[in-house]
Amino acid sequence: MATATIGEPTRRDFLFLTTGAVGAVAVGSAVWPLINQMNPDASTLAAATTEIDVGNIAEGQIVTIKWRGKPVFVRHRTKKEIEDARAVPLSELRDPATDQSRAEKPEWLVVIGICTHLGCVPIGHEGPYEGWFCPCHGSVYDTSGRIRQGPAPYNLALPPYKFAGDTKITIG
Amino acid sequence: MSGPSTYVPKSGLARWFESRLPLLGLIHSSFIVFPNPRNLNYWWTFGGILAFMLVAQIATGVVLVMHYTPETTLAFSSVEHIMRDVNYGWLLRYAHANGASMFFIAVYIHMFRGLYYGSYKAPREVLWILGVIIYLLMMATGFMGYVLPWGQMSFWGATVITSLFSAIPFVGDSITTWLWGGYAVDNPTLNRFFSLHYLLPFMIAGVVVLHIWALHVPGSNNPAGIEKQTEKDTLPFHPYFTVKDGFALVCFLIFYSWFVFYVPNYLGHADNYIEANPLQTPAHIVPEWYYLPFYAILRSIPSKLGGVVAMFGAIAIFAFLPWLDTSKVKSAAYRPVYRFFFWVFVACALLLGYIGAQPPEGGYVLAGRLLTAYYFIHFLVILPLIGLFETPRTLPASISDAVLGSHLSPGAVAAQVSRKG
């Protein structure tokens, strides 16, 4: 009776390998729901977009709304605020960005109201540029929400948004 | 656990760790080389299945708690939130609810295996009693877990069971008020049941450790009910019983999955999809199926206190089994009279379960009383008497004889070979 040489896979090897492979797939598919359940659920994802009617916001006014649990500043900018923002040379900026890239329609600035330093909510119409001033550690933002002075490293973040008609903005 | 380990790890790192905490050696001696009787049948796979189910219930339970709110006005809708919004929430909820039923199916099979093969007899009495303790903890855990969704059955089942304690003379009402945290089942009750439902499974895990430790002193019983004598009677746990237990587990999981994916509400009660209403009791209150026999016993005794005593007594009596059964022979395979009464007891238990689900009216009442009486007669009269009067069949000489037949056991084969030689 010929004996199998070492290296020739036996029926047992095949069975071990396939059982192991199928077992790994089974364990993986059993474990995945236990991990994925911690991802945002359907109700959280539904709250991921917020609509806001901007028709009632006066020129010069800043409105704070909640989006995904965070404050968002919607600022109806005056002509002067827009001009001031556009006149700034990029070389002066810590986090260079043109005002045009930050406001699709120049009279509406929509930024996330969280200081990029350590997370406090800055105060509007304050600071040397009349943009925002963060009272926690003194960061100063201009009328485009860009960092100008103080310890914050980045400009106020931009949420994804689009205009649905002239007086409605959908954020997220 | 008897004597120092003979395990020597292969790698240097493992040897370093082993000399400081001999965990690998413990796992090796308990679950790899541990000798098990070679004649074990598939009724012995349910211990492993139960260990798996405990882990599964804890895992699904912990993740469910990430989304559940234990407050009377929020609990029911938080469970619906899990079912509808949470990723795979429906799967986790159905796995946990049906997992509880599977846990009890497995524990009843495991217990009845013990009853049939005499696994509760010396020297395994403590092992058996630890099992009774685990069973009691499981019943408490299951009861409190069922309250959490705060449906009609949750609330009224909680009311009925906690009210049982008011039957205790003198201190009954105080104890019931203390349990409730108020004058009826309400938010304080829900909150504390949530806390205890999370706690108890870890206590079960602790008692399971003791249960396995107690088992590993004499080793497993076996279908022949005779203790192992030589190495020839046993096989190492790995690979023989790891693979056998693994296969049995897969079959069990297929059965479990049938419920989870095709009939997830079959074992439940439709009334529990109605939010709890303290001002209106459902027409028929029933506990979950795994409590039905004891519910039938409770209702069979006309006295309030008597019913409570009988119900708890029906569970507690299991702890006395090693001393109630007077036979020295363990396995029903060699006890023809006991075997008959074993199956009668199985029928009695199943019928009591059926009675528990029916309204306590008409013929069901008498049937319940007769079956309750028989239940206690089985333990207190029949078992002691059988042991004294039964003539058991001849036991095999050893486990290997039982498996191979005495003319084929290793000693006999060697003798035959040398004769032909």
Side-chain angles (χ1 to χ4, degrees), chain A residues 32-34 36-43, chain B residues 59 63 66-67 81 85-88 91-92:
Chain A
W32 173 243
L34 291 170
N36 191 31
Q37 54 83 23
M38 281 172 70
N39 275 325
D41 61 53
S43 59
Chain B
V63 301
M66 294 183 181
H67 305 276
H81 162 72
D85 292 335
V86 172
N87 299 323
Y88 292 106
L91 177 60
L92 298 168

Side-chain angles (χ1 to χ4, degrees), chain A residues 115 117-120 133-139 150-152:
Chain A
C115 181
H117 180 227
L118 291 174
C120 296
F133 175 73
C134 183
C136 290
H137 309 99
S139 294

